[in-house]
Each structure stands twice: as C-alpha cells, then as structure tokens.
C-alpha cells in the first residue's frame, strides 16, 4: 500500500511541475529567442594587426560590460584573432501599427520605398519629373610623393584646397613636427603628418614638391530632387558608381497609389516613421534599438584630462601652421596615435560643440586617465540659487589613487593664469569641455559638463563605468538579421519538432499498441518541461534559444523515445519468459534504467565536451541536447516508472485486448518461447 502511494505521489509531483510550466507560459514567461530566431545584429570589430591577445581579451571583457549595461538578453561575444564578434538578439521592443492613408508614393524597382508621398497623383508625378541624375563628389584625396600611402582625404574640393593652402615651405628649424634627424634643410610644414617631410636640400626642391601636390576626386552619381537632396530608400541612398546605373534606377521609379501605411512605434510611444510595407517598419523599429548600442560598443571611450597650454582660434597666424595631432582617420589607426604613444606628449586637439568645434587646443601630457574613475552617473542639473542650470552632466567618483592625483593637479592649476588654469577633458582625442579650475578638488568627486544630450551623457557614463577599450576597434562588418527571417526560422523549427513528434507517436502506437500511449504522455511531459526550463533560464540566466538550440531539442526526441523502447522491450522479454506483468515490471525497469542512464550519460558528456570546446551557435545545440537528455532521466524515473508499475498491477488493463504488454508487434514470441498464462500472442 505504501509503495502504491509513493507511485501516485511521484505522478502528482510531475503533474504539478507540468501545470506550473503551462501556467508560466500562459502568463507570458516565454523562452528568450536568439539572434537567428528573433532577429538582431551581428557586429565584427577589428583591431590593428599585431595587437597582443591579452589586450584583445581585455577589450572583449569591456565590451561585454557595456552590452550588459543595456540589459540585452544573452549576447554572444567571442574572440577570433584580432577580431571581436558581437551577436545581439532583439532590441526591437515596440509595435507596428497599420494606419489607413490615401496617398501616391514614389516606388522603385522591387518595391523600393523612397518615402516620398503626396496627396494626389499629379503632385507625385511632378516630383518624379523633377528628379535628375547628378554627379556628387564622394571624396577628394591629396596626391603627390609627400604622402606615400597615407594621403589624407576630404569630403569636398574646398576642404582639400584649404589643406593644400595650409602647407608652406620652411627651414627645418621652423618646422612644427620635424623628424629627430632630418635629411634635408627645408620642410613642408602643415601637412598633418606625424613628422613633416624634411628631405629637401634646397627651397626650390621643396617648392617643387609642394607644386606637385594635387587632388584625386572620387565621384558617384545620385538621384536628386529639385532642391538638391538625394533620394534614399529602405535599401540605402540612391547613389551609383556609374551614370547608366543611376539612369536605369530612375527609369524604374513610378508614382503608385497606396491606401495603407505601417508605422513603427517604439516602446516609449515615439513614432519612428511610417512605411509602405510592414517589413520596412519592422526593420526600422529594430534599427532604432541597435543604433545606440552599436555606437557604444565600438567607441573606444578613452578619457583623459590635460592642462590647456594654448588656445588657437581660426584666423590666427599660428592656427594654420599648427596641425591637429592625429587629425585624419588613417593616422588614428596607426600605433603612433595610440593612447600610450601620446600619453606623455604635447598634443593639439579640436574642441567639440556648436561654438567650439573649430578651436585648436594645445595640451600638455595626460594628468588624469579614465581608469582612475570608480563610478560615473549621468544626472540632470536643474541649477540652484547660486548656480545656473547646466543640463545633463556626469558625476564621477575617483579611486583612492585617482583622488590623490586629482587633488594634486587641481591644486597646481588653480593658481595659474589663463588658459593654463583650464583642465581639458578629452574623450577619444576630442575635447568635450575645458573648465577653469577654481579651487583644489581633494574629495575624490567631480563633474563632467559639456552640453550633453541625455543619451550622450548616459552612453558616456556607461563607457566610463565599463572601462575604455585598450585598443582602437574598427567596425569591419555589421549584419542585420530581420525579425521576419527570424520568425520564419522559428516557424520552420516548430514544424520540424511537431512533425518529428507525430511520426514518433504513430510509430510507437503501431509497434506497442495502447502501451505507446504511455510514451505519448511521457514525451509530451518532457516537451512541456523542456520549454519551461528554457523559459526560466532566459529569465534568470539570460539564456536565449537559437535555431541550433531548437535542433538540439528536436534531436532529443529520439533519445526520449529510445528510453521508452528500452524499458518496454525489457518488460516484454520478462513476460515472454513466463513472468506475470506484475512480477516482470520490477526487474525489467532495473535492467532498463541502467541502460538508459548509461546511454544518457554518454550523450550528456558528449554535449558537455562540445559545449566547452565549441563556439557560437554550436554551444546552443550542445546545451539544449545535454539538458534535454538529463531531463529524460527525470521523466523516466518520476513518470514512466510509476505509471507502468501501476498499470502492471491492474489485471484488467494488462489483459485488455490490444494493450501491448502481452500482445502487439513487439510481443510476438520467438519459436520455442513460452507464452504466459493469461495472455496469447496475436
């Protein structure tokens, strides 16, 4: 009697778990989906060749902390040589709202939406007729032997001409960045190179080299409206390398009648734009969540504070002759422009902001660095009776060492005359503010101001808390997986699982008759608990289910079916050899469970090894395979065992025609085998 009660308690326990899992799914605790199922973004960040592995590992950890600060579920980050790949699922938490609107819109080939709509067809056709193919300067690069392979490029010919005009021929002694051992007597000053070219023996040679400096203009052909603005669609800006390509694209545009649009509404209710197709609106919704995160994870955010030695305003005599340190993108990617290389040098950086972006600041060596900051918080300063409101700013506290250095630096600067009493705050070689030190700050706390927007202040605080990247990273590839593609993958994965479950159920019913129904219930319980575990893991551990994880669950169906087959076959063997079902069930389960445990442990160990050694989505496959295999042991012991034990104790069920314990395909006796009393092979 006690044994029967324990069997029922085991079944009730499993039923309670299943009920809890179903209830959790009904109230909205669903599995968190990965990049390939929910959509998202994959970013590859590249470091300069030769970057040490230890530096790359530190950069990876800092990026991980930045991503975690956004609450992104189960981001995948891994290191491969000098590349860091970041896979971020989701980020689109708003809704798509269809709205009725009668309008005529410009639509290109393959339903390209140029987002130009008009109340009438006549207005749309007028706008279409005004569109023309115009050449647009893409970039203007300087040419000449002076530059070698690092020629600077500019967005307009005006900028390129201004750069050439800023170059002058001077004696070596007057060059601002002359090399330690010049090979000539004259230099080209103001080239923007880390070291001015000083290989000219005579002034005539230097003037000849300057005269040889020219420009190489790169153009593309764009579709432009009457006001000169360039058309853009959901596929990008309408610009082409060849004129005939642009002409063909223009001929494919027509004014089409539309009666509905789809608007992307963010999670806070803001309208991110309305589009002619739902896919375009969904992509925009996802893009808005990614833009900020992409900027934060790839920004170096190297903070430093330097004393201001001199300020140079546009128009001054010294302004043109003083190049900006590492002023071009090509220069910033070299080791000579790294933080460590410039830390103890005098540098020239540009200001930042609407009123200060053209001012050049000559700065001394770095006094304070970002690693001295212990905590940074973005706050809004509403002002007080003695202080005007400054808007968004960043409050920070320093480490004990940082507080000591900060106190010494501010004490030194407070008695200096302008501009030497200014302390420039620099992030990634751009000055965000240069406040005047009005008193020694010895408490270890400070404020960074700089006309920040709320988003910029919060992003900078996140970057300072996570730590600056120890190396400059370049976005090598950004690949977006659309939510539509993810939903299709999930749909196909669910179909594969359902089809596999149905085929298994039909096979078990054919082979084991009514006994196969026990396997049906067992596999259904296994499936509900497996989904429940994935959902709980997503909420508590940040795990995201990927398409590979779905494949692991589908394959685990076969392992679960094997467990039932092993037990049923052991039980039938005992019955064939003359035992009653009641007497056969105990030794059959004992022998079968040993086999099931051994097989499942081997599979789980293989999954564990695969999880440890593999990367990317293969780990998701290994994880779900391993967990589902261990879950099979639980269901076998706490559900299948008590159910079959209770069935075997019921003479009426055991002898029921077609039940499958003493009849069915699997129970056909071999020649010479005994048939138990009370049952016959049929």
């Amino acid at each position: 009697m006690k044994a029967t009660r324990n069997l029922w308690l085991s079944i009730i326990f499993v039923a309670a778990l299943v009920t809890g899992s179903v209830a959790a799914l009904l109230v909205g605790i669903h599995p968190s989906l990965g990049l390939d199922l929910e959509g998202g973004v994959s970013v590859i960040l590249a470091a300069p060749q030769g970057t040490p592995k230890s530096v790359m590992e530190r950069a990876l950890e800092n990026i991980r902390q930045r991503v975690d600060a956004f609450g992104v579920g189960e981001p995948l980050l891994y290191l491969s040589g000098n590349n860091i790949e970041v896979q971020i699922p989701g980020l689109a938490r708003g809704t798509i709202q269809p709205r009725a609107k009668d309008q005529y819109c410009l639509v290109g080939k393959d339903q390209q939406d140029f987002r130009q709509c008009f109340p009438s067809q006549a207005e749309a056709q007028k706008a279409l007729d005004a569109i023309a193919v115009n050449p647009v300067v893409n970039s203007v690069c300087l040419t000449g032997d002076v530059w070698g392979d690092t020629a600077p490029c500019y967005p307009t010919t005006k900028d390129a001409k201004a750069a050439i005009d800023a170059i002058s021929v001077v004696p070596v002694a007057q060059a601002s960045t002359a090399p330690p051992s010049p090979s000539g007597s004259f230099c080209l000053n103001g080239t923007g190179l880390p070291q001015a070219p000083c290989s000219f023996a005579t002034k005539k040679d230097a003037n000849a080299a300057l005269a040889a400096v020219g420009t190489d203009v790169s153009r593309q052909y764009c579709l432009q409206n009457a006001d000169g603005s360039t058309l853009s669609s959901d596929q990008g800006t309408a610009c082409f390398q060849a004129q005939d390509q642009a002409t063909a694209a223009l001929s494919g545009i027509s004014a089409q009648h539309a009666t509905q649009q789809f608007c992307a509404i963010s999670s806070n209710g803001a309208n991110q734009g309305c589009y002619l197709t739902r896919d375009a609106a969904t992509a925009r919704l996802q893009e808005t969540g990614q833009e900020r995160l992409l900027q934060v994870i790839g920004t170096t955010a190297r903070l430093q504070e330097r004393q201001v030695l001199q300020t140079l305003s546009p128009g001054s005599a010294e302004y043109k002759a003083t190049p900006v340190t590492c002023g071009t993108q090509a220069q910033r990617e070299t080791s000579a422009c790294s933080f460590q290389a410039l830390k103890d040098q005098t540098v020239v950086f540009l200001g930042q902001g609407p009123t200060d972006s053209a001012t050049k600041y000559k700065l001394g060596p770095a006094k304070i660095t970002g690693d001295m900051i212990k905590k940074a918080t973005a706050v809004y300063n509403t002002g007080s009776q003695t202080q005007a409101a400054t808007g968004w700013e960043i409050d920070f506290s320093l480490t004990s060492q940082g507080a000591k250095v900060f106190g010494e630096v501010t004490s030194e600067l407070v008695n200096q005359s302008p501009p030497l009493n200014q302390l420039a705050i620099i992030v990634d070689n751009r000055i965000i503010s240069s406040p005047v030190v009005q008193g020694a700050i010895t408490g270890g706390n400070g404020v960074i101001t700089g006309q920040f927007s709320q988003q910029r202040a919060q992003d900078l605080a996140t970057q300072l808390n996570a730590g600056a990247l120890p190396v400059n990273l370049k976005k090598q590839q950004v690949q977006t997986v659309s939510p539509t593609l993810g939903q299709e993958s999930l749909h196909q994965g669910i179909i594969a699982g359902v089809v596999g479950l149905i085929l298994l159920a039909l096979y078990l019913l054919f082979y084991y008759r009514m006994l196969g129904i026990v396997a049906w219930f067992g596999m259904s319980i296994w499936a509900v608990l497996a989904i429940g575990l994935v959902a709980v893991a997503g909420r508590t551990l940040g795990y995201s289910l990927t398409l590979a994880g779905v494949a692991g669950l589908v394959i685990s169906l076969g392992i679960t079916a094997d467990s039932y087959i092993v037990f049923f076959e052991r039980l039938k063997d005992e019955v064939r050899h003359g035992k009653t079902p009641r007497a056969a069930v105990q030794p059959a389960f004992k022998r079968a469970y040993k086999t099931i445990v051994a097989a499942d442990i081997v599979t789980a160990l293989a999954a564990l090894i695969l999880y440890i050694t593999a990367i990317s989505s293969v780990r998701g496959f290994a994880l779900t395979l391993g967990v589902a295999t261990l879950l099979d042991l639980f269901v076998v012991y706490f559900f299948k065992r008590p159910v079959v034990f209770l069935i075997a104790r019921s003479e009426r069920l055991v002898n029921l025609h077609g039940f499958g314990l003493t009849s069915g395909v699997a129970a056909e006796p071999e020649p010479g085998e005994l048939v138990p009393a009370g049952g016959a092979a049929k």
Side-chain angles (χ1 to χ4, degrees), residues 445-481:
N445 297 309
V447 177
I448 301 175
T449 60
Q451 299 178 332
F452 296 122
S453 65
Q454 178 181 359
Q455 177 177 312
R456 176 57 180 152
Q458 292 174 344
D459 290 350
L460 184 55
T462 297
Q463 293 165 336
L464 294 177
N465 286 325
L469 299 183
V471 62
N472 292 329
L473 297 176
K474 181 180 180 181
K475 292 185 183 71
Q476 192 176 64
Q477 175 182 316
V478 178
Q479 181 179 3
T480 300
V481 178

Short mmCIF file of all heavy atoms in Angstrom, two decimals, residues 445-481:
data_model
loop_
_atom_site.label_atom_id
_atom_site.label_comp_id
_atom_site.label_asym_id
_atom_site.label_seq_id
_atom_site.Cartn_x
_atom_site.Cartn_y
_atom_site.Cartn_z
N ASN A 445 35.65 63.53 -5.85
CA ASN A 445 34.44 63.60 -6.67
C ASN A 445 34.55 64.77 -7.63
O ASN A 445 35.20 65.78 -7.32
CB ASN A 445 33.19 63.76 -5.81
CG ASN A 445 32.98 62.57 -4.89
OD1 ASN A 445 33.00 61.43 -5.34
ND2 ASN A 445 32.79 62.83 -3.61
N GLY A 446 33.91 64.65 -8.78
CA GLY A 446 33.94 65.72 -9.75
C GLY A 446 32.76 65.64 -10.70
O GLY A 446 31.93 64.72 -10.62
N VAL A 447 32.67 66.60 -11.61
CA VAL A 447 31.57 66.67 -12.56
C VAL A 447 32.15 66.95 -13.94
O VAL A 447 33.05 67.78 -14.09
CB VAL A 447 30.58 67.79 -12.18
CG1 VAL A 447 29.48 67.90 -13.24
CG2 VAL A 447 29.97 67.53 -10.82
N ILE A 448 31.63 66.24 -14.95
CA ILE A 448 32.00 66.48 -16.34
C ILE A 448 30.81 67.14 -17.02
O ILE A 448 29.72 66.57 -17.07
CB ILE A 448 32.36 65.18 -17.07
CG1 ILE A 448 33.53 64.47 -16.37
CG2 ILE A 448 32.70 65.44 -18.53
CD1 ILE A 448 33.86 63.12 -16.96
N THR A 449 31.01 68.35 -17.52
CA THR A 449 29.96 69.04 -18.27
C THR A 449 30.43 69.24 -19.69
O THR A 449 31.62 69.22 -19.98
CB THR A 449 29.65 70.41 -17.63
OG1 THR A 449 30.85 71.20 -17.63
CG2 THR A 449 29.17 70.25 -16.20
N GLY A 450 29.48 69.42 -20.60
CA GLY A 450 29.88 69.58 -21.99
C GLY A 450 28.73 69.67 -22.95
O GLY A 450 28.80 69.14 -24.05
N GLN A 451 27.61 70.28 -22.55
CA GLN A 451 26.44 70.42 -23.41
C GLN A 451 25.97 69.06 -23.92
O GLN A 451 25.74 68.86 -25.11
CB GLN A 451 26.74 71.37 -24.58
CG GLN A 451 27.11 72.78 -24.14
CD GLN A 451 27.46 73.69 -25.29
OE1 GLN A 451 27.93 73.23 -26.34
NE2 GLN A 451 27.22 74.97 -25.13
N PHE A 452 25.83 68.11 -23.00
CA PHE A 452 25.45 66.75 -23.36
C PHE A 452 23.94 66.65 -23.59
O PHE A 452 23.16 67.32 -22.91
CB PHE A 452 25.81 65.76 -22.24
CG PHE A 452 27.29 65.64 -21.99
CD1 PHE A 452 27.82 65.91 -20.74
CD2 PHE A 452 28.14 65.24 -22.99
CE1 PHE A 452 29.17 65.78 -20.49
CE2 PHE A 452 29.50 65.12 -22.76
CZ PHE A 452 30.01 65.40 -21.51
N SER A 453 23.55 65.79 -24.51
CA SER A 453 22.17 65.33 -24.56
C SER A 453 22.02 64.22 -23.53
O SER A 453 23.01 63.69 -23.01
CB SER A 453 21.82 64.80 -25.96
OG SER A 453 22.60 63.64 -26.25
N GLN A 454 20.78 63.86 -23.23
CA GLN A 454 20.56 62.79 -22.25
C GLN A 454 21.21 61.49 -22.71
O GLN A 454 21.88 60.80 -21.93
CB GLN A 454 19.06 62.57 -22.03
CG GLN A 454 18.75 61.43 -21.06
CD GLN A 454 17.26 61.21 -20.88
OE1 GLN A 454 16.44 61.91 -21.47
NE2 GLN A 454 16.89 60.23 -20.07
N GLN A 455 21.03 61.15 -23.99
CA GLN A 455 21.57 59.89 -24.49
C GLN A 455 23.09 59.90 -24.45
O GLN A 455 23.72 58.92 -24.03
CB GLN A 455 21.10 59.66 -25.92
CG GLN A 455 21.68 58.40 -26.56
CD GLN A 455 21.12 58.16 -27.95
OE1 GLN A 455 19.92 58.21 -28.17
NE2 GLN A 455 22.01 57.92 -28.90
N ARG A 456 23.71 61.03 -24.85
CA ARG A 456 25.18 61.10 -24.86
C ARG A 456 25.74 61.00 -23.45
O ARG A 456 26.75 60.33 -23.21
CB ARG A 456 25.62 62.40 -25.52
CG ARG A 456 27.13 62.63 -25.52
CD ARG A 456 27.88 61.51 -26.19
NE ARG A 456 29.31 61.73 -26.20
CZ ARG A 456 30.21 60.77 -26.20
NH1 ARG A 456 29.84 59.50 -26.19
NH2 ARG A 456 31.50 61.06 -26.23
N ALA A 457 25.08 61.65 -22.48
CA ALA A 457 25.55 61.59 -21.09
C ALA A 457 25.44 60.17 -20.54
O ALA A 457 26.36 59.66 -19.89
CB ALA A 457 24.74 62.56 -20.23
N GLN A 458 24.32 59.49 -20.83
CA GLN A 458 24.14 58.13 -20.33
C GLN A 458 25.12 57.16 -21.00
O GLN A 458 25.67 56.27 -20.35
CB GLN A 458 22.69 57.68 -20.56
CG GLN A 458 21.69 58.44 -19.70
CD GLN A 458 20.25 58.09 -20.04
OE1 GLN A 458 19.98 57.52 -21.10
NE2 GLN A 458 19.34 58.45 -19.17
N ASP A 459 25.34 57.35 -22.30
CA ASP A 459 26.28 56.48 -23.01
C ASP A 459 27.70 56.66 -22.48
O ASP A 459 28.42 55.68 -22.26
CB ASP A 459 26.26 56.78 -24.51
CG ASP A 459 24.97 56.32 -25.17
OD1 ASP A 459 24.20 55.62 -24.51
OD2 ASP A 459 24.75 56.68 -26.34
N LEU A 460 28.10 57.92 -22.26
CA LEU A 460 29.45 58.17 -21.77
C LEU A 460 29.63 57.61 -20.37
O LEU A 460 30.69 57.05 -20.04
CB LEU A 460 29.75 59.67 -21.79
CG LEU A 460 31.17 60.09 -21.39
CD1 LEU A 460 32.20 59.36 -22.24
CD2 LEU A 460 31.34 61.60 -21.52
N ALA A 461 28.61 57.73 -19.52
CA ALA A 461 28.68 57.16 -18.17
C ALA A 461 28.83 55.65 -18.25
O ALA A 461 29.61 55.04 -17.50
CB ALA A 461 27.44 57.54 -17.37
N THR A 462 28.08 55.01 -19.16
CA THR A 462 28.19 53.56 -19.34
C THR A 462 29.60 53.17 -19.77
O THR A 462 30.19 52.21 -19.26
CB THR A 462 27.18 53.08 -20.41
OG1 THR A 462 25.87 53.34 -19.93
CG2 THR A 462 27.33 51.59 -20.67
N GLN A 463 30.17 53.92 -20.70
CA GLN A 463 31.51 53.61 -21.19
C GLN A 463 32.57 53.81 -20.11
O GLN A 463 33.51 53.01 -19.98
CB GLN A 463 31.81 54.49 -22.40
CG GLN A 463 30.95 54.16 -23.61
CD GLN A 463 30.99 55.25 -24.66
OE1 GLN A 463 31.26 56.40 -24.37
NE2 GLN A 463 30.69 54.88 -25.91
N LEU A 464 32.43 54.86 -19.31
CA LEU A 464 33.40 55.10 -18.25
C LEU A 464 33.32 54.03 -17.17
O LEU A 464 34.34 53.62 -16.62
CB LEU A 464 33.17 56.50 -17.64
CG LEU A 464 33.43 57.69 -18.57
CD1 LEU A 464 33.10 58.98 -17.86
CD2 LEU A 464 34.87 57.69 -19.05
N ASN A 465 32.10 53.59 -16.86
CA ASN A 465 31.96 52.53 -15.85
C ASN A 465 32.53 51.21 -16.33
O ASN A 465 33.12 50.44 -15.56
CB ASN A 465 30.48 52.34 -15.48
CG ASN A 465 29.95 53.47 -14.61
OD1 ASN A 465 30.68 54.00 -13.78
ND2 ASN A 465 28.70 53.84 -14.80
N ALA A 466 32.33 50.90 -17.63
CA ALA A 466 32.82 49.63 -18.18
C ALA A 466 34.32 49.68 -18.44
O ALA A 466 34.98 48.64 -18.51
CB ALA A 466 32.08 49.29 -19.47
N GLY A 467 34.87 50.88 -18.58
CA GLY A 467 36.30 51.00 -18.86
C GLY A 467 36.54 51.26 -20.33
O GLY A 467 35.82 50.76 -21.20
N ALA A 468 37.54 52.04 -20.61
CA ALA A 468 37.89 52.34 -22.00
C ALA A 468 38.47 51.11 -22.68
O ALA A 468 39.09 50.26 -22.04
CB ALA A 468 38.90 53.48 -22.05
N LEU A 469 38.22 51.00 -23.98
CA LEU A 469 38.82 49.90 -24.73
C LEU A 469 40.32 50.15 -24.85
O LEU A 469 40.74 51.26 -25.17
CB LEU A 469 38.19 49.80 -26.11
CG LEU A 469 36.68 49.54 -26.15
CD1 LEU A 469 36.22 49.39 -27.59
CD2 LEU A 469 36.31 48.31 -25.35
N PRO A 470 41.13 49.13 -24.61
CA PRO A 470 42.58 49.32 -24.64
C PRO A 470 43.14 49.42 -26.05
O PRO A 470 44.34 49.59 -26.22
CB PRO A 470 43.10 48.07 -23.93
CG PRO A 470 42.06 47.03 -24.18
CD PRO A 470 40.75 47.77 -24.19
N VAL A 471 42.28 49.31 -27.05
CA VAL A 471 42.75 49.37 -28.43
C VAL A 471 41.63 49.96 -29.28
O VAL A 471 40.44 49.81 -28.97
CB VAL A 471 43.12 47.96 -28.94
CG1 VAL A 471 41.91 47.04 -28.94
CG2 VAL A 471 43.74 48.02 -30.34
N ASN A 472 42.00 50.69 -30.33
CA ASN A 472 41.00 51.26 -31.24
C ASN A 472 40.43 50.15 -32.12
O ASN A 472 41.18 49.43 -32.79
CB ASN A 472 41.62 52.34 -32.11
CG ASN A 472 42.02 53.57 -31.32
OD1 ASN A 472 41.37 53.90 -30.33
ND2 ASN A 472 43.07 54.25 -31.74
N LEU A 473 39.11 50.01 -32.11
CA LEU A 473 38.44 48.97 -32.89
C LEU A 473 37.66 49.61 -34.04
O LEU A 473 37.06 50.68 -33.88
CB LEU A 473 37.48 48.17 -32.01
CG LEU A 473 38.11 47.39 -30.87
CD1 LEU A 473 37.04 46.74 -30.02
CD2 LEU A 473 39.07 46.35 -31.39
N LYS A 474 37.70 48.95 -35.17
CA LYS A 474 37.01 49.44 -36.36
C LYS A 474 35.89 48.48 -36.71
O LYS A 474 36.08 47.26 -36.73
CB LYS A 474 38.00 49.54 -37.53
CG LYS A 474 37.39 50.06 -38.81
CD LYS A 474 38.43 50.12 -39.92
CE LYS A 474 37.84 50.64 -41.22
NZ LYS A 474 38.86 50.66 -42.30
N LYS A 475 34.69 49.00 -36.97
CA LYS A 475 33.56 48.16 -37.36
C LYS A 475 33.85 47.60 -38.75
O LYS A 475 33.77 48.30 -39.75
CB LYS A 475 32.26 48.95 -37.35
CG LYS A 475 31.79 49.38 -35.98
CD LYS A 475 30.43 50.05 -36.06
CE LYS A 475 29.97 50.56 -34.71
NZ LYS A 475 30.74 51.72 -34.24
N GLN A 476 34.18 46.33 -38.80
CA GLN A 476 34.52 45.70 -40.07
C GLN A 476 33.28 45.21 -40.80
O GLN A 476 33.20 45.23 -42.02
CB GLN A 476 35.48 44.53 -39.82
CG GLN A 476 36.13 43.97 -41.06
CD GLN A 476 37.13 42.89 -40.72
OE1 GLN A 476 36.78 41.84 -40.20
NE2 GLN A 476 38.40 43.16 -40.98
N GLN A 477 32.29 44.76 -40.02
CA GLN A 477 31.07 44.25 -40.65
C GLN A 477 29.91 44.41 -39.67
O GLN A 477 30.03 44.12 -38.49
CB GLN A 477 31.24 42.77 -41.01
CG GLN A 477 29.97 42.12 -41.57
CD GLN A 477 30.19 40.65 -41.87
OE1 GLN A 477 31.19 40.27 -42.45
NE2 GLN A 477 29.25 39.81 -41.48
N VAL A 478 28.80 44.90 -40.17
CA VAL A 478 27.56 44.98 -39.40
C VAL A 478 26.48 44.29 -40.21
O VAL A 478 26.13 44.73 -41.31
CB VAL A 478 27.16 46.43 -39.10
CG1 VAL A 478 25.85 46.47 -38.33
CG2 VAL A 478 28.26 47.14 -38.31
N GLN A 479 25.97 43.20 -39.69
CA GLN A 479 24.97 42.41 -40.41
C GLN A 479 23.69 42.34 -39.59
O GLN A 479 23.72 41.95 -38.42
CB GLN A 479 25.49 41.00 -40.70
CG GLN A 479 24.50 40.13 -41.47
CD GLN A 479 25.07 38.74 -41.76
OE1 GLN A 479 26.17 38.42 -41.32
NE2 GLN A 479 24.32 37.91 -42.45
N THR A 480 22.59 42.75 -40.19
CA THR A 480 21.30 42.75 -39.51
C THR A 480 20.48 41.55 -39.95
O THR A 480 20.34 41.29 -41.15
CB THR A 480 20.53 44.05 -39.79
OG1 THR A 480 21.31 45.15 -39.34
CG2 THR A 480 19.20 44.05 -39.07
N VAL A 481 19.95 40.82 -38.97
CA VAL A 481 19.03 39.71 -39.25
C VAL A 481 17.63 40.23 -38.99
O VAL A 481 17.31 40.63 -37.86
CB VAL A 481 19.33 38.49 -38.35
CG1 VAL A 481 18.33 37.38 -38.63
CG2 VAL A 481 20.74 38.01 -38.59
#
